[in-house]
């Protein structure tokens, strides 16, 4: 009985980490644009376009690395398009973000049906997956709770701490925060707000590209229609709850990963699968509501 409980905990932990990694990477990317004054609602589309091109190039080249690079490039292109409209043409970021999400959803479906004979999903053993950090220490805890995860999982944790230093301890981070908080001061210093936002969008595109690659080349090793399933909006919730702080984003992403893992587990139980799939998003709404109520209370007491 104890052994079964341990195996269940281990499975839930490993699934939680796997599910949390794309959300963490996308959230860290969105945190950069958040500090630059843009609430990025296009992350869903950025992850989806990356997932598609990651699978396509991984399949065509037989290399996960080329797939990741292709996914990142595609995501950066869409992110730059978003930035041009929002930062330079001063369009509404919510309207453009949702428009790009719809565009990417339709574009990936069209390309997949053209390239793979009308299919809504594509899966092949020729798709090269992202490698794990394969280590066998002989210690159960290390082998199951520390080692043998995707390379991008370790990279995402490293990026979280690296971004915390960049945002709060470098001149670029200072410009980024001033861009979002006091853009007039940035203009007075002779620095163009649009270009700071442009750079934040490029970095956001790169990280969302990694998120899409993790999702399609490691979590499931396939591409299916709208496979991101709202993870871009979960990432946005993580950003808003954390205030764009990378270390808090890391913890909140892990929390969402746990709920995602529980939804997977519940699907194998005698529970309606629709309810199980709803669980991560229900928790996102609940957490956002609690955060909103806490913020209102703090503002009233100020």
């Amino acid at each position: 009985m104890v052994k079964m409980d341990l195996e269940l905990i281990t499975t839930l932990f490993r699934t939680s980490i796997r599910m949390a990694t794309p959300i963490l990477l996308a959230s860290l990317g969105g945190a950069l644009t958040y500090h630059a004054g843009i609430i990025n609602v296009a992350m869903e589309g950025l992850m989806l376009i990356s997932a598609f091109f990651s699978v396509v190039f991984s399949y065509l080249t037989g290399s996960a690395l080329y797939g990741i690079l292709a996914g990142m490039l595609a995501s950066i292109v869409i992110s730059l398009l978003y930035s041009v409209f929002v930062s330079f043409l001063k369009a509404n970021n919510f309207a453009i973000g949702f428009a790009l999400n719809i565009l990417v959803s339709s574009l990936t479906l069209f390309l997949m049906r053209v390239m793979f004979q009308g299919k809504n999903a594509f899966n092949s053993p020729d798709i090269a997956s992202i490698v794990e950090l394969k280590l066998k220490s002989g210690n159960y805890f290390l082998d199951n709770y520390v080692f043998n995860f995707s390379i991008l999982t370790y990279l995402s944790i490293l990026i979280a701490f690296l971004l915390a230093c960049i945002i709060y301890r470098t001149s670029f981070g200072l410009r980024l925060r001033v861009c979002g908080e006091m853009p007039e001061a940035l203009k007075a210093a002779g620095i163009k707000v649009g270009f700071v936002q442009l750079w934040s969008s490029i970095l956001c595109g790169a990280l969302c590209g990694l998120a899409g690659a993790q999702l399609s080349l490691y979590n499931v090793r396939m591409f299916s229609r709208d496979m991101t399933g709202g993870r871009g909006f979960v990432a946005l919730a993580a950003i808003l709850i954390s205030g764009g702080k990378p270390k808090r984003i890391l913890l909140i992403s892990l929390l969402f990963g746990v709920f995602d893992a529980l939804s997977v587990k519940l699907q194998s139980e005698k529970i309606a699968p629709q309810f199980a799939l709803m669980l991560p998003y229900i928790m996102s709404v609940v957490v956002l509501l609690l955060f909103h109520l806490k913020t209102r209370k703090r503002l009233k007491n100020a």
Side-chain angles (χ1 to χ4, degrees):
M1 184 68 180
V2 175
K3 186 178 180 181
M4 287 182 64
D5 289 343
L6 181 60
E7 288 179 356
L8 176 61
I9 292 169
T10 300
T11 301
L12 283 174
F13 177 82
R14 294 189 64 83
T15 305
S16 299
I17 296 298
R18 189 173 73 250
M19 294 298 187
T21 301
I23 296 172
L24 173 58
L25 286 165
S27 300
L28 292 172
L32 291 166
T33 55
Y34 174 83
H35 284 292
I38 300 173
I39 296 176
N40 196 332
V41 295
M43 289 185 291
E44 182 80 4
L46 299 182
M47 292 174 67
L48 186 61
I49 196 77
S50 169
F52 175 77
F53 280 99
S54 293
V55 164
V56 169
F57 276 82
S58 175
Y59 170 72
L60 293 176
T61 65
S63 168
L65 177 60
Y66 287 130
I68 292 170
L69 293 176
M72 289 176 68
L73 181 60
S75 182
I76 288 171
V77 169
I78 299 298
S79 189
L80 282 173
L81 181 62
Y82 178 74
S83 183
V84 167
F85 277 103
V86 173
S87 302
F88 294 98
L89 301 180
K90 304 301 179 184
N92 183 281
N93 65 311
F94 287 96
I96 297 300
F98 282 112
L100 284 178
N101 289 337
I102 295 169
L103 171 65
V104 169
S105 175
S106 302
L107 178 63
T108 52
L109 179 61
F110 169 75
L111 290 175
M112 185 168 57
R113 287 181 172 177
V114 169
M115 296 174 69
F116 304 114
Q117 302 176 347
K119 295 181 179 179
N120 285 334
F122 175 67
N123 186 17
S124 169
D126 294 326
I127 297 172
S129 63
I130 294 171
V131 297
E132 293 181 347
L133 182 66
K134 292 285 187 181
L135 291 173
K136 292 293 181 182
S137 65
N139 181 285
Y140 184 86
F141 178 82
L142 292 177
D143 290 344
N144 291 281
Y145 290 85
V146 179
F147 301 145
N148 306 307
F149 290 102
S150 162
I151 293 295
L152 290 185
T153 295
Y154 300 102
L155 182 61
S156 65
I157 296 171
L158 178 63
I159 291 172
F161 287 95
L162 183 62
L163 282 186
C165 292
I166 290 173
I167 291 172
Y168 296 105
R169 297 185 182 182
T170 66
S171 57
F172 173 76
L174 179 61
R175 291 179 182 182
L176 196 68
R177 286 181 287 120
V178 172
C179 181
E181 296 170 10
M182 295 180 291
E184 296 81 9
L186 205 62
K187 291 177 184 177
I191 301 170
K192 292 185 178 179
V193 171
F195 283 108
V196 175
Q197 292 179 336
L198 184 69
W199 276 108
S200 71
S201 294
I202 291 172
L203 295 172
C204 177
L207 290 174
C208 286
L210 289 175
Q214 165 75 13
L215 186 63
S216 61
L217 295 184
Y218 184 79
N219 284 19
V220 292
R221 211 173 84 170
M222 65 176 292
F223 181 84
S224 61
R225 180 180 183 179
D226 295 331
M227 67 179 294
T228 45
R231 287 177 176 83
F233 297 107
V234 173
L236 181 59
I239 294 165
L240 295 176
I241 295 166
S242 66
K245 293 178 171 62
K247 292 178 184 178
R248 290 185 186 178
I249 286 174
L250 174 58
L251 296 175
I252 293 167
S253 298
L254 288 174
L255 178 63
F256 284 135
V258 170
F259 291 125
D260 232 343
L262 285 174
S263 74
V264 173
K265 176 62 180 174
L266 289 173
Q267 287 179 60
S268 63
E269 304 295 334
K270 293 181 179 180
I271 295 176
Q274 294 82 1
F275 174 78
L277 290 170
M278 286 168 57
L279 183 60
Y281 309 104
I282 291 173
M283 294 311 303
S284 299
V285 173
V286 170
V287 172
L288 273 173
L289 178 62
L290 292 174
F291 171 75
H292 175 68
L293 293 174
K294 182 180 177 182
T295 304
R296 283 187 63 184
K297 185 178 179 180
R298 188 170 63 246
L299 290 173
K300 285 182 179 179
N301 294 332

